[in-house]
Amino acid sequence: MKTIQITKPGQVRLTETPKPALKPGHVLLKIGYAGFCGSDLNTFRGLNPLVKLPVVPGHEIGAVVEAVAGDVGDVLQPGLHVTVNPYTNCGYCPACRNGRPNACEFNRTLGVQRDGAMSEYLLAPRDKVIADPAIPVCDLALVEPMSVGFHAVDRAGVTDSDVVTVIGCGMIGVGAIVRAAIRGARVVAVDVDDKKLALARRLGAHYTVHSKEENLHERVQDLTGGNGSDVVIEAVGRPETYLAAISEAAFTGRVVYIGYAKEKVPFDTSFFVKKELDIRGSRNAMPRDFRAVMEYLKRGICPTDELITAVYPPEEAGAALEEWSAHPGDVFRILIRF
């Protein structure tokens, strides 16, 4: 079967690997679409410390059930449209024991700590396969990245009385905007790209702030009557956005970090105490977040065509990553169609 590998920084190859053999407790999937995410781009750039090369990238999956092991039961049948929860969980670490397997200490995500889904076929454990025949296979490849933003909103405990500021309107930030809007919150979307801000409005943001052209603090203060945001969700991972999240949070606000800052962040920790902030991390997503995204997609109101920048065949995967690396601001999501 055709398989895409990142062999070393800046180098991608299309190779032939054996088709997986069906085994107990597993489902064989025919991959329709697999998405490149930021971690794949960092792997291509040589900036992903979690990856051991060569690696098969990809954990954003839209697929069709090809075959089912005899012990799986009859819920999953050949022909069903599915996506995959790409994380593992050990069942024994503190996170797993506390009912939060998304943050498993020993998680191995597809395409990062283990080979991913950029192949014609994927063998997946039955309990990681999530089916919904009502969603097109292409759209199912958007579920995992949106679910990460959905999970951050859940971590923040967002309600309809909150003002929620989302810093970063990439795919994960978009997920946070959508779920916060669904919950009835007033949403402020922050980015440095006009196209992303326009999309954020169409997806439910009530206000947008171009943080290179406007003073973010003054704008948030104006929008909140001088109070600041009840919730700030950081979906960028830069020192300046980490600091901005604390600055824009209201007294007794909640700050949720999704992005990984690549550098040390010099916090003025007095704000932690003075504001009595709840500061929370948000990692991956829970199964309920996947289901919530899928229910949203079935409403037919998500402009999925605007979330997909381009679709490439496997033979052009390297060119796709080169284009994204050269023009990161112009790319929202890239899918590979198998």
Side-chain angles (χ1 to χ4, degrees):
M1 63 178 182
K2 293 179 180 178
T3 299
I4 295 166
Q5 289 182 324
I6 300 176
T7 55
K8 63 181 182 180
Q11 187 172 99
V12 177
R13 72 175 179 183
L14 183 64
T15 186
E16 288 287 329
T17 57
K19 182 179 177 180
L22 194 60
K23 64 181 182 180
H26 285 67
V27 180
L28 182 64
L29 306 178
K30 175 71 176 74
I31 300 296
Y33 295 85
F36 277 130
C37 78
S39 63
D40 300 318
L41 179 61
N42 283 333
T43 298
F44 178 73
R45 288 172 156 179
L47 301 174
N48 191 341
L50 300 178
V51 167
K52 183 178 180 181
L53 298 177
V55 69
V56 178
H59 57 257
E60 303 174 358
I61 300 164
V64 176
V65 174
E66 177 87 359
V68 180
D71 62 344
V72 163
D74 58 5
V75 174
L76 293 174
Q77 294 291 329
L80 269 180
H81 294 185
V82 301
T83 191
V84 177
N85 182 329
Y87 324 122
T88 63
N89 51 285
C90 69
Y92 301 103
C93 73
C96 289
R97 292 200 307 270
N98 289 330
R100 290 158 65 179
N102 59 295
C104 176
E105 182 178 356
F106 305 105
N107 167 62
R108 299 175 70 239
T109 299
L110 284 171
V112 184
Q113 293 94 347
R114 57 187 173 128
D115 280 342
M118 291 269 176
S119 295
E120 290 184 90
Y121 295 91
L122 177 73
L123 191 65
R126 186 266 170 270
D127 64 345
K128 298 295 184 181
V129 179
I130 310 169
D132 198 316
I135 302 176
V137 174
C138 183
D139 292 357
L140 284 166
L142 304 175
V143 171
E144 190 276 340
M146 289 189 75
S147 74
V148 177
F150 270 49
H151 181 66
V153 170
D154 206 39
R155 287 282 292 144
V158 170
T159 72
D160 58 5
S161 64
D162 288 324
V163 175
V164 178
T165 294
V166 179
I167 303 176
C169 297
M171 192 68 183
I172 291 171
V174 156
I177 289 165
V178 167
R179 196 172 206 188
I182 288 172
R183 290 193 174 188
R186 282 196 298 149
V187 183
V188 181
V190 181
D191 205 281
V192 296
D193 184 277
D194 287 325
K195 290 181 180 179
K196 289 180 179 178
L197 290 171
L199 178 58
R201 277 191 176 273
R202 289 193 290 278
L203 290 169
H206 300 82
Y207 314 100
T208 56
V209 182
H210 191 300
S211 55
K212 275 193 174 179
E213 297 179 355
E214 303 174 81
N215 185 297
L216 175 59
H217 183 69
E218 290 178 1
R219 185 81 168 112
V220 170
Q221 289 293 299
D222 180 59
L223 291 171
T224 61
N227 293 320
S229 295
D230 302 290
V231 173
V232 181
I233 296 174
E234 196 281 343
V236 179
R238 295 182 59 86
E240 57 267 37
T241 52
Y242 258 65
L243 295 172
I246 300 297
S247 177
E248 304 319 320
F251 276 67
T252 68
R254 290 99 74 197
V255 176
V256 177
Y257 289 111
I258 311 174
Y260 283 89
K262 309 299 188 297
E263 308 163 49
K264 291 183 179 180
V265 183
F267 283 111
D268 178 354
T269 55
S270 65
F271 286 116
F272 297 6
V273 178
K274 288 178 180 177
K275 291 186 175 183
E276 199 176 59
L277 297 175
D278 288 341
I279 301 173
R280 305 171 186 178
S282 183
R283 183 182 179 193
N284 299 330
M286 293 282 282
R288 64 175 177 266
D289 301 309
F290 281 76
R291 291 192 295 270
V293 173
M294 293 165 81
E295 288 302 315
Y296 165 68
L297 291 176
K298 286 193 294 185
R299 292 168 59 182
I301 60 174
C302 180
T304 53
D305 57 328
E306 295 185 55
L307 302 182
I308 301 168
T309 304
V311 179
Y312 291 83
E315 292 78 7
E316 297 179 24
L321 284 171
E322 287 176 5
E323 176 68 16
W324 192 5
S325 185
H327 306 284
D330 296 337
V331 172
F332 204 82
R333 239 346 163 247
I334 289 174
L335 300 184
I336 301 298
R337 180 180 60 242
F338 284 91

